[in-house]
Amino acid sequence: MLKVAIILGSTRPGRNGEAVAKWVHDVATKKGGADYELVDIKDFDLPLLDEPAPPSMGQYTKPHTKAWAAKIDSFDAFVFVTPEYNHGTSGALKNAIDFLYKEWNNKAAGFVSYGSAGGSRAVEQLRLVMAELQIADVRSQVMLSLFDDFENFSVFKPRPRHEKSVGTLLDQLLAWAGAMKTLRAG
């Protein structure tokens, strides 16, 4: 069975992403087809990139990096739940991604974003990063508006149509993850 991480990409106090990530996890679990796990980058307490060697060398020296690498390596695919801060993804998510290299390679990714413009610009940036990490990212994405999907910009109340969008994203993600798993095995 494929293993999919739903990565909560914000560490901000009072973050909206926690409710979004839990919702994505619930929708995914109901849909089935894979083993889904919610992974909160906050739990790994990653400082600003502090490894002496570039991640592409795989010479991790810090316990937090080794724990993060083991967690990410265990998955076949990722759903990144990202806020949009100042027309980009969160610094915390970018930092967490940048800690590793080979653990990301030849896997698949999809995106659920939120913000005043639905988080679309954050996802545009993440797609460029995914290409460098040799991650196949799927076309479908879920964009949640702070105006329409959150009450008072803080209580998550997604419009019903978004659940179908998550399903479409997951269909594409699992297809690509299966193909990429074959690639990694070969």
Side-chain angles (χ1 to χ4, degrees), residues 49-55 57 59-62 64-65 99:
L49 188 55
D50 65 346
E51 288 288 344
M57 296 181 77
Q59 298 172 353
Y60 308 134
T61 62
K62 311 289 184 185
H64 54 259
T65 308
F99 258 90

Side-chain angles (χ1 to χ4, degrees), residues 8 10 12 14-24 81-85 112-120 142-162:
L8 172 48
S10 173
R12 179 182 273 180
R15 61 194 172 164
N16 287 328
E18 190 166 1
V20 175
K22 286 179 180 177
W23 171 75
V24 171
V81 176
T82 182
E84 183 172 305
Y85 299 153
V112 175
S113 58
Y114 59 95
S116 59
S120 61
V142 180
M143 296 181 295
L144 303 163
S145 168
L146 286 176
F147 297 101
D148 299 326
D149 296 304
F150 293 84
E151 186 177 280
N152 297 320
F153 300 99
S154 60
V155 178
F156 185 50
K157 294 188 174 180
R159 289 171 285 173
R161 68 180 173 88
H162 290 307

